[in-house]
């Protein structure tokens, strides 16, 4: 009888000990990291679940190469698009400049035909004034009237940036002069304008009508 009681007592002691160990293990699983370190340092048993998992941050080397290639491709595309944008922007600026220049020229030279139609009138007045004798008292009023009319016309042309070209005794300029004939002479250097048959005119610096001139050339040797 005493032996049976002793065996029962031992089994109950073992079960209680096992139960306390399981409870200790459960408690340790929920301990904070700081308390867990202290608990382990005290020599208490530790039953912590430590499930090993694969590192999700690990990336296959082939994936890394693929990603780098994709980044390089995107960078090249971005650079190409930037270059295309800059070219388009420069072309747009050039178009705006050309359009603005065309508008300015349209304003500047819109009177070309009108001024060209007036130039023969100016020529006639100048010829008429030259033919009227300044010493003739009878013709003096007519000459003064023609001079006044001519001055008004020339002032009006000057306001429109029209300037005459009369290159007498100047070097021949093919951009502004038209040579009607060449005359040999020893008095002037070759290519000198000897006579102006008809004055030329510029509009905003551009030739509106070239001057008709006679140009000197070297005299024939004896």
């Amino acid at each position: 009888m005493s032996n049976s009681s002793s065996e029962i007592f031992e089994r109950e002691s073992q079960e209680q000990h096992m139960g306390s160990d399981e409870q200790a293990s459960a408690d340790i699983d929920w301990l904070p990291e700081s308390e867990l370190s202290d608990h382990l340092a005290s020599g208490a048993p530790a039953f912590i679940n430590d499930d090993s998992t694969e590192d999700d941050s690990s990336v296959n080397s082939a994936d890394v190469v693929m990603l780098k290639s994709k980044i390089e491709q995107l960078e090249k595309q971005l650079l190409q698009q930037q270059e295309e944008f800059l070219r388009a922007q420069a072309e747009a600026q050039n178009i705006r400049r050309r359009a603005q220049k065309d508008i300015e020229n349209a304003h500047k030279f819109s009177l070309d035909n009108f001024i060209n139609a007036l130039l023969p009138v100016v020529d006639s007045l100048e010829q008429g004034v030259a033919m009227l004798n300044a010493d003739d008292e009878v013709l003096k009023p007519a000459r003064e009237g023609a001079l006044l009319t001519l001055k008004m016309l020339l002032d009006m042309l000057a306001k429109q940036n029209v300037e005459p070209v009369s290159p007498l005794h100047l070097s021949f300029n093919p951009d502004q002069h038209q040579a009607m004939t060449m005359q040999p002479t020893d008095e002037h250097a070759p290519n000198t304008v000897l006579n102006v048959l008809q004055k030329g005119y510029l509009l905003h610096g551009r030739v509106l009508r070239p001057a008709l001139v006679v140009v000197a050339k070297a005299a024939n040797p004896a």
Side-chain angles (χ1 to χ4, degrees):
M1 186 73 176
S2 61
N3 291 334
S4 299
S5 299
S6 177
E7 292 174 358
I8 293 172
F9 178 76
E10 289 179 358
R11 284 200 302 271
E12 289 178 353
S13 298
Q14 291 176 357
E15 291 175 355
Q16 290 178 358
H17 182 70
M18 292 176 62
S20 62
D21 289 342
E22 292 175 357
Q23 182 64 34
S25 175
D27 292 340
I28 292 173
D29 286 342
W30 293 97
L31 284 176
E33 183 177 355
S34 60
E35 296 182 12
L36 178 60
S37 300
D38 297 337
H39 187 77
L40 293 175
S42 64
F47 300 92
I48 299 176
N49 294 329
D50 186 19
D51 297 334
S52 59
T53 59
E54 295 182 356
D55 187 4
D56 295 337
S57 63
S58 62
V59 182
N60 190 289
S61 59
D63 295 337
V64 173
V65 173
M66 183 182 67
L67 289 174
K68 288 183 177 180
S69 176
K70 187 66 175 177
I71 291 173
E72 291 177 357
Q73 182 180 1
L74 292 174
E75 288 177 345
K76 290 180 180 178
Q77 291 178 356
L78 177 61
L79 181 60
Q80 182 178 2
Q81 291 176 355
Q82 288 176 341
E83 292 177 351
E84 291 176 354
F85 171 76
L86 291 176
R87 283 196 295 268
Q89 189 177 34
E91 181 62 23
Q93 291 177 352
N94 291 335
I95 292 174
R96 283 196 297 270
R97 291 193 189 100
R98 286 195 294 267
Q100 185 177 1
K101 187 66 176 178
D102 291 341
I103 293 173
E104 291 176 356
N105 289 338
H107 286 300
K108 285 181 179 180
F109 306 111
S110 60
L111 298 177
D112 280 17
N113 294 333
F114 176 70
I115 294 174
N116 269 318
L118 281 180
L119 293 182
V121 178
V122 176
D123 296 336
S124 297
L125 282 172
E126 288 179 339
Q127 292 172 4
V129 169
M131 292 176 64
L132 293 174
N133 189 351
D135 297 331
D136 192 336
E137 294 295 330
V138 177
L139 298 177
K140 186 175 181 180
R143 189 174 188 279
E144 289 178 352
L147 282 173
L148 181 59
T149 304
L150 177 60
K151 182 179 183 303
M152 292 174 62
L153 274 174
L154 293 177
D155 290 344
M156 183 273 293
L157 293 175
K159 289 180 180 179
Q160 299 301 322
N161 293 294
V162 177
E163 54 182 313
V165 177
S166 184
L168 184 61
H169 298 158
L170 299 178
S171 296
F172 176 74
N173 182 357
D175 295 331
Q176 298 182 359
H177 312 152
Q178 181 177 346
M180 302 304 294
T181 185
M182 298 190 73
Q183 180 177 329
T185 179
D186 292 330
E187 297 180 1
H188 300 279
N191 278 343
T192 299
V193 175
L194 297 178
N195 190 15
V196 178
L197 303 178
Q198 185 184 70
K199 287 195 300 184
Y201 287 90
L202 304 177
L203 175 60
H204 291 283
R206 190 176 74 178
V207 176
L208 187 62
R209 187 181 77 178
L212 305 182
V213 298
V214 177
V215 183
K217 67 176 182 178
N220 293 326

